[in-house]
Amino acid sequence: MNRTKIEYADYSWNPVTGCYGPGGTAEQPNWCPYCWAKKQAERGMGPYGQFPKEQRFRPRIWEERLLEPNFLKKPSRILVCFMGDLFGDWVPEEWIRKITVTPRLPWVKHHTFLFLTKNPKRLPEFNPWPENAWIGATATDNLMMNDALHYFDRVEASLKFLSLEPMLEAIDPGALYFVDWVIIGSLTGPGVNPLQKDWIEPILLYSERIGLPIFLKENLLKLFPDLPRRQEYPGVRR
């Protein structure tokens, strides 16, 4: 488990890594062109270097990492399986159960575990979620957001959130009423960034109206430095 540069978390915990992308399979992957995790794995960083480049982002479980949160003393926000998608259709249920049992252990109740996926249809399979698990879905457009909200309705969790990163089109702010936290980020790396400032402002106005905490990532604030520096965390709505 490593300290992370992701602003809204303290550590990343990656007992399962790799991904075939939304709707992808081993035979026909559908990797997101902007995927940061895939680029990191293919560079051969850390343990990934032991595999041929074409196998570095293949889904795998690292059994030796399963107990890592047990040794973390200070209460921390832990981002789970950021180097893959734990709830991809290709991930065996057994792997997921080995990981989702951890937040339920009495000696890690002081930590908060952030689960984030692009495949929210599997989230209800693991109901009910413990109090210290924040359940999230990535949505880059309205279609993904509406899909996430559909499955969130069946998720038994104390906190549900959306990560609008990268935000690829203007989304309907009113839909955010049904979540407890929203993270917004821009596209990073080479390529054209479609994000526009006037996509963000309606979300900020609406969130102020309903008291919804918003976390604007640094990559977004660098793009639009005159935006208010809102980096809020979930809790009681203001």
Side-chain angles (χ1 to χ4, degrees):
M1 191 156 59
N2 299 309
R3 281 277 184 184
T4 180
K5 294 182 180 179
I6 299 163
E7 303 100 298
Y8 56 83
D10 302 305
Y11 291 89
S12 62
W13 176 43
N14 289 289
V16 167
T17 61
C19 181
Y20 292 132
T25 64
E27 295 74 26
Q28 288 190 304
N30 184 38
W31 291 304
C32 301
Y34 50 79
C35 183
W36 176 89
K38 182 172 182 285
K39 292 172 186 174
Q40 293 298 309
E42 289 181 343
R43 284 177 189 166
M45 307 282 287
Y48 303 104
Q50 65 185 290
F51 305 108
K53 184 176 180 180
E54 66 275 7
Q55 295 182 20
R56 289 173 186 167
F57 205 52
R58 181 175 66 82
R60 54 175 51 89
I61 187 167
W62 306 78
E63 298 275 354
E64 67 274 19
R65 298 179 181 179
L66 290 171
L67 298 179
E68 287 177 340
N70 297 348
F71 304 103
L72 189 61
K73 303 294 184 185
K74 184 180 177 181
S76 303
R77 288 183 294 269
I78 301 170
L79 188 56
V80 182
C81 296
F82 188 68
M83 288 294 293
D85 193 332
L86 179 61
F87 301 96
D89 288 330
W90 55 84
V91 181
E93 181 181 341
E94 177 190 359
W95 291 11
I96 302 174
R97 296 279 178 199
K98 285 184 176 183
I99 293 156
T100 56
V101 72
T102 298
R104 296 173 165 85
L105 300 174
W107 49 87
V108 296
K109 289 291 186 182
H110 57 302
H111 299 316
T112 301
F113 293 82
L114 285 73
F115 292 86
L116 183 61
T117 182
K118 288 183 178 176
N119 193 40
K121 70 180 182 182
R122 294 196 73 180
L123 293 172
E125 295 177 34
F126 305 95
N127 286 336
W129 290 87
E131 287 288 319
N132 61 336
W134 295 357
I135 307 304
T138 296
T140 62
D141 54 33
N142 285 282
L143 183 63
M144 288 184 72
M145 180 178 69
N146 291 333
D147 187 56
L149 294 175
H150 171 73
Y151 291 107
F152 274 3
D153 191 49
R154 307 177 197 173
V155 172
E156 298 172 20
S158 60
L159 194 144
K160 305 168 195 178
F161 69 96
L162 285 174
S163 176
L164 308 179
E165 185 188 15
M167 195 173 174
L168 301 180
E169 69 177 28
I171 64 102
D172 173 18
L176 303 179
Y177 180 82
F178 299 99
V179 297
D180 305 296
W181 188 35
V182 176
I183 300 162
I184 308 177
S186 68
L187 186 66
T188 56
V192 177
N193 193 335
L195 184 59
Q196 300 174 33
K197 185 181 174 185
D198 59 9
W199 296 357
I200 310 299
E201 292 169 331
I203 296 175
L204 298 182
L205 287 171
Y206 182 74
S207 67
E208 282 285 351
R209 215 168 81 205
I210 66 170
L212 174 67
I214 297 285
F215 194 102
L216 301 182
K217 291 196 68 178
E218 290 294 334
N219 58 23
L220 182 69
L221 294 171
K222 287 179 182 177
L223 193 62
F224 305 117
D226 54 338
L227 283 174
R229 192 177 185 81
R230 289 182 58 183
Q231 294 189 323
E232 303 155 354
Y233 290 94
V236 178
R237 287 200 170 189
R238 293 175 288 114

